[in-house]
Amino acid sequence: MSQEPTHMPAGRARDCVQAIRPYVPGKPAEEVAREYGIKEVLKLASNENPLGPSPRALQAVRDGLTDLHVYPDGSGFHLKRAIGEHYGVRPEQVTLGNGSNDVLELVARTYLEPGSNAVFSQHAFAVYALATQAAGAEARVVPARPADDPEMPFGADLAAMAAAIDANTRVLFLANPNNPTGTWVETAELRALLDAVPAHVIVVLDEAYTEYVGDPAFPDGIELLAHYPNLVTIRTFSKIFGLAALRVGFAVSDPAIASLLDRVRQPFNVNTLALRAAEAALEDDEFIAESRAVNHAGLAQWMRAADERGWQTVPSRANFITVMTPFPAGCVFEALLQEGVIVRPLGGMEACGGLSQALRITIGTTEQNARAIEALERVLARLADKGCSS
Ligand SMILES: *Cc1c(COP(=O)(O)O)cnc(C)c1O
């Protein structure tokens, strides 16, 4: 008799699901505080807005609490109309999601199936691989530019991505700026990619951090929609709008694509508080401008600190910075935890791509950045002295 268990408590899962490596979420800040006996833990791990939520959104949430017994507006009528007016598109072009993560999955469920493939870059946002694998499709991961690339180390190689497309490719994912690297692509190279992609391939341009860039020359996926009917531009309320907990994001696309995405979503995929908060946040110009200014100053603060200390960084235009260290990222991460600073070590898939010693650190306020910089400096000195214990 074999020693194999005869029961199957997990059931008979699809092979493509069994093959997925689980996403490992970070420890909550309160747990870190308890474990290391630290009063105030600083979490710079998830690219959240250090200024908190948009005050206008917060008020909308308070006002919405009395309606918790009523189902959300499943059509997202008001938010779609507000997005349409704000970005100069029609409401029929807008698809709302429970975070942009949901929208990414809607794209995968709509376009991907076994036998098909999705193309994306090495070091791309982790959700692209998860959504592709969950749909049973092949993930075509295209090597990124090398670490010593003079223009954009670790950046997406758009020519190689275009070349990786074949008859079975249904989707190409690209984040601009990208997470976790912070790297970006300019308008000319993006347009060259869009020109090269055949019409049967949906291009998902994930612009989660675009509001942080603040440069009129930076490519705008919503403007590009007029030229490329196979383009799906994705935005989120989780980053500059400060609403990560509410889970709301959206896609703007050709109405024909929006109509398909609409067929696979849950009827009430965005909750009432999220719908109302997002609508309010969209018009909170003051908060957005301040968030952008704080981020620009913080990014400059980090770059200066890195230059002064000889830390190598990856170029970034987002609300985080990737810092290369001389030690395995997990080891520096653990040491920073003891200092009460939580960052994101780039491990996993990144480990084989030259980022195994990299930390992704969210840009905080001036004070938060100063604390994190000092902590990192102390930790690196200690590790240089004592080495890595983990
Ligand atoms: C943070 C992030 C998102 C946003 O995810 P939500 O589900 O909207 O919170 C999307 N794409 C990228 C590349 C991100 O980094």
Side-chain angles (χ1 to χ4, degrees):
M1 278 289 286
S2 105
Q3 294 300 302
E4 291 290 307
T6 51
H7 65 300
M8 293 181 65
R12 194 183 166 116
R14 295 155 66 203
D15 289 342
C16 66
V17 173
Q18 292 208 359
I20 294 174
R21 223 176 359 178
Y23 175 80
V24 184
K27 253 186 234 169
E30 313 83 71
E31 266 314 291
V32 174
R34 204 185 47 76
E35 200 172 323
Y36 297 96
I38 288 160
K39 258 218 305 274
E40 224 177 298
V41 167
L42 174 57
K43 181 167 172 265
L44 297 174
S46 304
N47 304 341
E48 292 141 346
N49 191 325
L51 302 183
S54 140
R56 287 201 194 190
L58 202 52
Q59 189 55 48
V61 167
R62 288 198 190 97
D63 294 344
L65 289 175
T66 49
D67 292 332
L68 291 188
H69 60 299
V70 182
Y71 274 102
D73 168 20
S75 74
F77 181 84
H78 295 286
L79 180 56
K80 281 189 186 175
R81 192 174 60 184
I83 289 169
E85 284 170 8
H86 191 86
Y87 294 102
V89 298
R90 285 176 285 147
E92 315 87 84
Q93 293 181 264
V94 180
T95 304
L96 302 178
N98 184 36
S100 53
N101 199 323
D102 187 27
V103 183
L104 291 166
E105 281 173 32
L106 297 183
V107 171
R109 279 214 294 284
T110 301
Y111 290 98
L112 296 175
E113 62 189 331
S116 70
N117 69 68
V119 169
F120 49 88
S121 178
Q122 182 187 18
H123 314 309
F125 188 42
V127 171
Y128 308 155
L130 288 171
T132 301
Q133 284 177 281
E138 177 204 345
R140 281 225 170 145
V141 184
V142 178
R145 293 170 180 235
D148 58 0
D149 188 277
E151 278 170 48
M152 194 62 69
F154 305 109
D157 181 341
L158 298 196
M161 287 175 74
I165 293 171
D166 68 11
N168 296 322
T169 304
R170 298 284 174 269
V171 179
L172 181 147
F173 291 104
L174 179 68
N176 197 34
N178 181 53
N179 170 23
T181 54
T183 52
W184 67 93
V185 302
E186 302 281 2
T187 304
E189 46 174 342
L190 179 58
R191 288 198 71 142
L193 171 77
L194 291 166
D195 287 333
V197 172
H200 73 269
V201 176
I202 296 294
V203 177
V204 173
L205 187 60
D206 181 348
E207 298 187 328
Y209 301 97
T210 199
E211 298 88 356
Y212 282 110
V213 178
D215 170 2
F218 197 77
D220 180 336
I222 295 179
E223 276 175 17
L224 288 169
L225 288 172
H227 308 280
Y228 303 98
N230 57 336
L231 180 60
V232 176
T233 297
I234 295 188
R235 302 278 179 98
T236 182
F237 286 96
S238 298
K239 304 287 156 58
I240 206 165
F241 297 102
L243 300 177
L246 286 179
R247 314 304 303 128
V248 52
F250 63 95
V252 188
S253 68
D254 188 275
I257 295 175
S259 160
L260 289 166
L261 300 181
D262 197 49
R263 294 173 207 188
V264 297
R265 74 175 175 92
Q266 289 181 23
F268 302 106
N269 63 333
V270 186
N271 72 78
T272 302
L273 301 181
L275 288 170
R276 296 196 191 167
E279 198 184 337
L282 204 53
E283 302 309 327
D284 200 341
D285 296 335
E286 201 182 325
F287 177 76
I288 295 161
E290 193 190 351
S291 299
R292 188 184 294 128
V294 166
N295 190 68
H296 274 188
L299 206 44
Q301 182 185 2
W302 267 101
M303 295 299 290
R304 218 168 32 243
D307 274 352
E308 286 165 8
R309 290 161 181 78
W311 298 341
Q312 208 192 325
T313 59
V314 180
S316 172
R317 295 180 89 169
N319 68 341
F320 57 87
I321 185 163
T322 295
V323 180
M324 318 295 280
T325 80
F327 309 101
C331 173
V332 188
F333 165 75
E334 291 287 341
L336 276 171
L337 281 186
Q338 294 173 30
E339 302 271 338
V341 178
I342 314 179
V343 300
R344 184 86 162 85
L346 298 188
M349 274 195 310
E350 310 301 338
C352 45
L355 289 172
S356 62
Q357 309 197 147
L359 303 172
R360 190 195 68 194
I361 306 170
T362 303
I363 307 298
T365 61
T366 309
E367 298 74 33
Q368 290 174 336
N369 298 332
R371 178 176 164 192
I373 290 162
E374 282 165 29
L376 182 57
E377 187 166 33
R378 264 196 307 277
V379 157
L380 292 179
R382 195 160 69 231
L383 291 175
D385 199 31
K386 301 217 177 91
C388 240
S389 52
S390 59

